[in-house]
Each structure stands twice: as C-alpha cells, then as structure tokens.
Amino acid sequence: MIQKKYAIQIDDLTVAYNYKPVLWDIDLLIPEGVLMAVVGPNGAGKSTLIKAILGIIKPIAGSVKIFGKPYKKQVNKVAYVPQKGSVDWDFPTTSLDVVMMGTYGSLGWIKRPGSKEKKQALEALEKVGMLEFKNRQISQLSGGQQQRIFLARALVQNASIYLMDEPFQGVDATTEKAIINILKELRKAGKTLVVVHHDLQTVPEYFDWVTFLNVKGIASGQVKEIFNDNNLTKTYGINYKVAINK
Amino acid sequence: MTSAQLEIQIIAALVAMACAIPGTFLVLRKMAMISDAISHSILPGLVLGFFITNDLNSPFLILLAAITGVVTVVLVEFIQKTGLVKEDTAIGLVFPALFSIGVILIAKNANDVHLDIDAVLLGELAFAPFDRLEVNAIDIGPKSLWVIGTILLTTISLLLLFFKELKLSTFDKGLATTLGFSPLLLHYGLMTVSSITVVGAFDAVGAILVVALIIAPAATAYLLTDSLKKMLLISCFLGVFSAISGYWMANFLDASIAGSMTTMLGIIFLIVYLFAPKRGVFSVIYKEKHQRIEVSLLVFLLHLQNHVEIEERHVDHLQKHINWGKVKSKTILDLAQKNNLIKLSGNIVNLTEKGTEFTEEALRYITTNKETAIEDLKAKFFLFRG
C-alpha cells in the first residue's frame, strides 16, 4: 500500500491543563508543501496545538508524527516562531544574536556558533529586511521588527516545517505583506507552513490550506473547498459574515 | 599588608566572582529570590554535615548542603505546581521551615560545636586565614581559599561549556525545548551550581549577605550593558571591586568585612541606578524632558505649516494658542531658531526651507509609522534620537 506523504500526522491528540482538556481528540493530517492557517476563536487551543506538535506541552493521549517519526527524532526538520510575548525583550542581546540562536539546534550541545552560523544569520536578517538593525539591542526594536527577528531566526533553522504562532500579531500592514511574501516563497521551495491566524478576511488571499479548530477539530482541507459559511459557523458559533467582520 | 589580609581579600574576591556568575542568570530568569531561599535552607544540610565531619570546609558537608539547596528548589516548584499558592508564597513557606530546623539543630548543640547563629547569618571572613590546609605537613593556604577557588573554577568551566545553552534557555525556553536542548536539565544544573556556590560562600559572608553578592552585581551590570557576555564580566568586576574596597572599608571602620562588602555593593548599585548612561534615573528623566520638548516643537512647526495667516504666527499669539507656559515657548522658539527651522521677521514666525522639509518628514513618519523614515530623521535632525 502506498501511503500519501504527510508532513505532520496527528492521531487522537488530547491535551489538558490541570486535567481540563483544551484539545479534545484531534486527528489532523497536514500534507507536505501546504501553507496552512489554523483558525478558531480565543481559547480554541490553536497555540496549544502548535506546542503539542513541538513537544513543549505533553499530551495526555494521542501521538504526533513528523514525516512519519516522533518529533524528538526530527528536531532539525521543524522551526518554530513563537508568539512575540513569549520572551523578555529586555534581555541583554542583539538582533543578530537572537537570529543566531536558530543555528543552535544543528550545532547541538557545547559546540559554539562560528563564522558559518554568523553568515547564515546575516543572510536571514537580510531576507526579512532587518540587516541594518543587526547590532540593535532587541528592546529597541518595534513590534513588527521583533516579529521579523523571530521569522529570521526560524529561517536560519533551514527546516522543512515551519510552525508559527500568530506572526501577524501587532505588526503594521507593510510588515504583514513582507512576512506573507516570505511565507509564500518558503512554500514554493517545498516547505510546509502551519500558521495560527486571526484575521479570517485574509485567509483566502494568504493560504491554500486551512484547519478549523475549536477544542475539537472541525474541518481541515483546501481553502477553496472548505473555507465556507458552514465551517465558520460550526467553529465560531455565529454566522460567517459576522465572524469574518469580527 | 599582612599575608592574612591578602588572603582575606583574595577569598572575598573569589567568593564575589563565584556568586556573580550564577547571579547573572538568576536575575535574568527573574529568579533572584530563589537565591535567598537557597541561602537559608542549606542550613540544616550544613549543620548535619558539620556534625558528621566537624569541618566547615569538608567536601561532604558542601555536597550535603548543596543537596538541601536543590531540594528547596524542588519543594518550591512542587508546591507552586499544585496551583494552590503562588511562587513567592511557596518560597516564603519553604525556606523558613528548613532554616528553622537548622537553627534548632545549632541551638541544641551550641555548647560543643564551633558554629553559632551570628556566623551563620553574617559569616566570619576574618577567621578564614586561621583554618589552614596542609598537604604532607606543608601549609598550602587557607582551606576556604581552596574551597571557593575550586567552586569558582568549576563554575567558569561550566559557563564556558554551556554558555550558548544557558543563554538560549534563559531567553527562550520554548525554542530551547524545540531545538532539542533540555531547559529542565539546565535549570537544575544552574540551581546546583547556585547551591554549591552559596555553601562555599556561606562561611565567608553568611546566609543573608550572600544574597547581595548574588543579586547586586548582576542587577547593577544589567543597567550598564546590552550584551550578556559584558553583563557577566561587569558583574564579576563589580563583585571583586566591592569585595576589595569593602575589605578596606571594614579595616578603616573596624567593622564587619561582609557588612562592608555588601554596603559597597549597595553604594555602587545606587550610583549606577541614578547615573547609568542609558537606563539610569537621571538619564531617563533627561530623555523624557527632551522628548516632551521635541513633541512641543513638532506641534509648533505643524501649526506654522498649517497657518498662513499672520495673526496665527505672531509670537505672542503662539504662546496662548498652543497652550504653553512662557518658559517653555521660549525654549522651543530658541531650539527651532538654533536649528534653523524657523526665522523671525519682527514678531512673526516663518518656517525656513529646512523647517518645512523637517516638518514634512516628521509628518510622514507619524502617518506611515515606517521605521526607515525615522532612521533618516535621526541622522538628519536632532529630533527622535535615542
């Protein structure tokens, strides 16, 4: 039997905080090479889904496979862009240094980053248009710039799968355009991207694949096939137009 | 300077450095108070070890006390994880409990051991040179010098080996996990090093002052630099500086060495807190004052650009129209004139060419909020800098 190749395969995943389930029995297949939005209301478990895929949160049931293997064996194939608020931006370090952190995974323990890693980091900074801010202390960056630094850090990981938790949060329109262009480029290069997204209006424009989530999995598939009134109502509990204008 | 004096200063300097290194990471991890918990709760471990070995510098005693330190951290985290009490409450519950066990143990055996509450709280650096280490009947220096020296060397080696991992897990625990590093292992590694350091420093500076040696140099360095490496170096330097200057202060005042060292740390922190170039209190006040003036200047220029009518641009009118006090409007007029942004013909204010250009650029920045635009402004004009 020939199995279709899935970048991420999630089976019966249940995650709970203090025994209160936030994700209930999720089954999700994410094909390789899609640019996928994860949408759902607040508290739907979108960030939790990403963290569970990465093993940051331990599920109480179910399994996650990355290209058919457990995450621990595929660490270098996955890059993660966390929410901007997840770190302390007053930390004494520069943009370049934060981006270099993306290379630590391939370096492993003890080995230190050298000129090769620095070159990769500089290239990534250039890609996100942040080269001129390379020596800037990170608290001196604007919200949009901080988001780009996180994106650059994921780029140097040179992974096959990119998991992003609200990369468009608190960024201006120009930065949003710049980020989405980079995401589309990555997809063209055959990468798989999973993006927690809030703005329903831009889903058809930005993404080709979508997953509706509200504690349980509602639907997952191609945007042009399943991004409709029915699924939006099921996910948000209100009608499509209201949800989209929210 | 006698050799005993020299030895005391070297021990004090080594203790300060050994404390400053884990202290830097504890401060950045917002865990400064855990050092307070460790420094108190190692007491029962220390006392038990002392009963067994009868030697405050025995490796066995240090190990036992360090284990108590790590147990403290585990207990605090365990209580906190139940979600019934907050972290600071958990810390406040655990360490007095352990500390009091130590106090009772000492009190019950106070008559026959050389370990008293004063020494526990404040340490006694002055006695350090009397307890010598001998190898084959040859004196090779004070025991505590060897103990703290070994601890410092171990700390520095671990720091050099795991600097990258410590930095990553301190800045972004989530990324550290996803890249296959174990933040938990690093966390307990840091806790173990902190505990061992506290035990090693305990003899010299006691349970209360060791907290100052851990937190103060790091907190001071944090205000002075934007780089983690520099923060570590500055912490160590400040620690050593306070240790040595504190020693001489104690000598001069005929007071406690540990107390004087800590006082020096406090004084240095206060000076930096007030006068640090970028983050000091005065620098922040100065910056805010300037920003207020610059915003007023911009309002003024925009007003000039928006109004061609002579009466709107009369100096006297401006003062009441834009709602400024007299001093301020003069400051702003002067500032604008000094930078050739306006020229006065009689009492009527006109924008110069540079003034018009500046106003337009500033306006463009405010409306588009594009960072590149502000970079230009910073270079070209004095406004928006810093």
Side-chain angles (χ1 to χ4, degrees):
Chain A
M1 193 176 87
I2 299 165
Q3 238 189 332
K4 205 182 160 201
K5 208 177 176 191
Y6 291 112
I8 302 173
Q9 185 176 353
I10 299 172
D11 290 310
D12 308 329
L13 183 79
T14 298
V15 180
Y17 289 125
N18 297 323
Y19 304 103
K20 199 179 140 224
V22 253
L23 284 178
W24 237 168
D25 200 36
I26 305 286
D27 289 296
L28 183 60
L29 297 171
I30 304 172
E32 199 180 352
V34 297
L35 174 49
M36 181 178 100
V38 179
V39 298
N42 289 330
K46 303 182 295 284
S47 298
T48 308
L49 178 70
I50 301 265
K51 286 180 186 158
I53 293 173
L54 290 159
I56 297 177
I57 298 173
K58 285 226 160 19
I60 56 171
S63 71
V64 175
K65 291 212 168 93
I66 310 288
F67 294 114
K69 287 185 197 152
Y71 175 77
K72 282 219 154 114
K73 293 196 171 145
Q74 305 279 41
V75 170
N76 291 330
K77 293 206 168 137
V78 185
Y80 171 44
V81 180
Q83 276 187 28
K84 217 170 58 214
S86 67
V87 303
D88 175 13
W89 291 95
D90 285 326
F91 193 86
T93 189
T94 59
S95 305
L96 178 63
D97 202 36
V98 171
V99 177
M100 295 260 273
M101 288 180 190
T103 65
Y104 289 6
S106 56
L107 285 168
W109 287 85
I110 296 174
K111 220 178 140 198
R112 286 187 223 188
S115 56
K116 183 182 139 216
E117 283 74 23
K118 191 173 171 187
K119 200 171 144 248
Q120 289 173 338
L122 289 172
E123 279 167 12
L125 275 170
E126 188 162 28
K127 242 181 228 167
V128 300
M130 287 289 295
L131 195 57
E132 56 181 312
F133 300 102
K134 64 178 180 181
N135 293 323
R136 184 75 62 90
Q137 207 268 324
I138 53 172
S139 67
Q140 309 286 317
L141 300 170
S142 72
Q145 291 173 330
Q146 291 174 343
Q147 196 65 62
R148 290 188 204 205
I149 291 298
F150 264 1
L151 184 62
R153 191 177 71 174
L155 290 177
V156 296
Q157 283 181 251
N158 196 19
S160 310
I161 298 173
Y162 289 79
L163 302 173
M164 308 190 175
D165 203 346
E166 301 197 28
F168 304 116
Q169 196 190 38
V171 308
D172 59 36
T174 330
T175 306
E176 182 160 333
K177 280 268 141 52
I179 293 177
I180 196 66
N181 284 338
I182 290 169
L183 301 195
K184 285 183 171 170
E185 243 174 67
L186 285 169
R187 185 196 46 196
K188 258 188 216 151
K191 317 279 186 188
T192 310
L193 298 107
V194 178
V195 182
V196 172
H197 194 55
H198 256 300
D199 183 8
L200 291 170
Q201 226 153 2
T202 51
V203 169
E205 183 193 338
Y206 291 173
F207 301 93
D208 60 359
W209 206 266
V210 64
T211 290
F212 291 94
L213 189 73
N214 191 358
V215 185
K216 292 194 279 183
I218 311 281
S220 183
Q222 285 193 45
V223 171
K224 56 183 174 200
E225 279 172 17
I226 69 155
F227 195 72
N228 56 34
D229 213 347
N230 183 26
N231 282 325
L232 281 161
T233 310
K234 269 195 212 160
T235 311
Y236 288 86
I238 36 175
N239 103 9
Y240 169 72
K241 283 226 169 83
V242 180
I244 243 181
N245 288 324
K246 229 177 127 179
Chain B
M1 193 162 52
T2 65
S3 76
Q5 283 183 318
L6 183 67
E7 280 170 4
I8 290 173
Q9 286 177 71
I10 294 173
I11 293 170
L14 294 184
V15 166
M17 271 165 81
C19 289
I21 295 169
T24 300
F25 289 99
L26 290 177
V27 166
L28 288 175
R29 287 167 174 244
K30 301 178 182 63
M31 289 174 65
M33 284 323 283
I34 207 85
S35 62
D36 195 20
I38 292 174
S39 72
H40 283 76
S41 55
I42 57 168
L43 190 59
L46 213 60
V47 177
L48 278 180
F50 189 72
F51 288 164
I52 298 167
T53 63
N54 230 348
D55 176 3
L56 263 180
N57 288 316
S58 145
F60 176 73
L61 174 142
I62 292 174
L63 192 73
L64 202 64
I67 290 170
T68 330
V70 177
V71 167
T72 312
V73 178
V74 174
L75 278 176
V76 168
E77 283 167 2
F78 176 78
I79 295 178
Q80 189 198 345
K81 259 188 203 141
T82 59
L84 299 173
V85 289
K86 299 261 179 279
E87 189 190 3
D88 55 343
T89 315
I91 290 176
L93 287 167
V94 171
F95 86 76
L98 289 167
F99 187 68
S100 57
I101 294 172
V103 171
I104 292 173
L105 282 175
I106 293 179
K108 287 296 279 180
N109 301 278
N111 296 331
D112 40 280
V113 297
H114 160 67
L115 189 69
D116 59 62
I117 300 291
D118 279 356
V120 163
L121 291 176
L122 303 169
E124 203 32 275
L125 205 50
F127 295 151
F130 297 127
D131 193 7
R132 317 294 296 185
L133 187 65
E134 288 179 5
V135 176
N136 297 331
I138 301 163
D139 178 12
I140 55 164
K143 262 187 193 169
S144 46
L145 179 66
W146 283 93
V147 171
I148 198 66
T150 312
I151 292 173
L152 178 60
L153 268 181
T154 315
T155 306
I156 291 175
S157 320
L158 287 170
L159 176 70
L160 291 176
L161 279 175
F162 299 111
F163 178 73
K164 173 183 102 215
E165 288 79 4
L166 276 166
K167 181 168 71 178
L168 175 64
S169 70
T170 302
F171 175 63
D172 192 342
K173 212 166 120 191
L175 185 74
T177 311
T178 64
L179 291 180
F181 299 104
S182 167
L184 201 70
L185 191 68
L186 289 159
H187 170 70
Y188 283 111
L190 179 64
M191 290 304 122
T192 309
V193 168
S194 305
S195 298
I196 292 174
T197 306
V198 168
V199 185
F202 199 91
D203 188 21
V205 292
I208 298 180
L209 300 183
V210 70
V211 181
L213 283 178
I214 290 177
I215 300 174
T220 313
Y222 182 73
L223 296 174
L224 289 170
T225 178
D226 288 339
S227 138
L228 178 57
K229 277 182 194 161
K230 280 186 198 148
M231 186 174 164
L232 281 161
L233 287 174
I234 296 173
S235 298
C236 287
F237 171 78
L238 290 175
V240 172
F241 179 79
S242 316
I244 291 168
S245 57
Y247 173 80
W248 288 106
M249 181 173 142
N251 213 13
F252 179 71
L253 297 173
D254 194 17
S256 145
I257 299 170
S260 305
M261 276 167 63
T262 320
T263 307
M264 281 312 296
L265 281 172
I267 292 171
I268 294 169
F269 176 78
L270 186 68
I271 293 170
V272 170
Y273 174 74
L274 292 175
F275 302 107
K278 263 198 276 181
R279 305 206 179 97
V281 171
F282 288 119
S283 155
V284 169
I285 292 175
Y286 178 83
K287 205 167 95 186
E288 278 171 3
K289 189 184 153 207
H290 268 255
Q291 276 170 350
R292 259 201 313 275
I293 292 174
E294 287 177 350
V295 167
S296 303
L297 174 71
L298 200 57
V299 172
F300 171 52
L301 296 175
L302 283 174
H303 178 80
L304 290 178
Q305 205 190 28
N306 286 338
H307 293 280
V308 273
E309 313 91 285
I310 296 276
E311 61 269 26
E312 287 281 347
R313 299 193 290 158
H314 195 278
V315 173
D316 294 338
H317 167 80
L318 288 168
Q319 283 172 1
K320 48 184 194 283
H321 189 88
I322 313 187
N323 237 350
W324 294 331
K326 271 194 178 168
V327 182
K328 215 172 158 193
S329 61
K330 175 138 177 37
T331 317
I332 284 148
L333 269 177
D334 287 349
L335 189 65
Q337 264 185 303
K338 204 173 76 196
N339 287 280
N340 295 323
L341 297 172
I342 56 164
K343 55 178 182 282
L344 280 172
S345 39
N347 272 333
I348 304 301
V349 190
N350 290 306
L351 278 176
T352 59
E353 206 171 294
K354 189 181 166 195
T356 315
E357 193 194 326
F358 172 76
T359 313
E360 271 165 15
E361 257 186 78
L363 198 66
R364 196 163 65 231
Y365 165 68
I366 289 163
T367 47
T368 60
N369 206 18
K370 265 182 138 178
E371 286 98 16
T372 40
I374 196 175
E375 289 308 309
D376 263 12
L377 282 179
K378 274 184 191 173
K380 252 186 186 162
F381 298 97
F382 57 93
L383 193 65
F384 297 121
R385 208 171 292 158

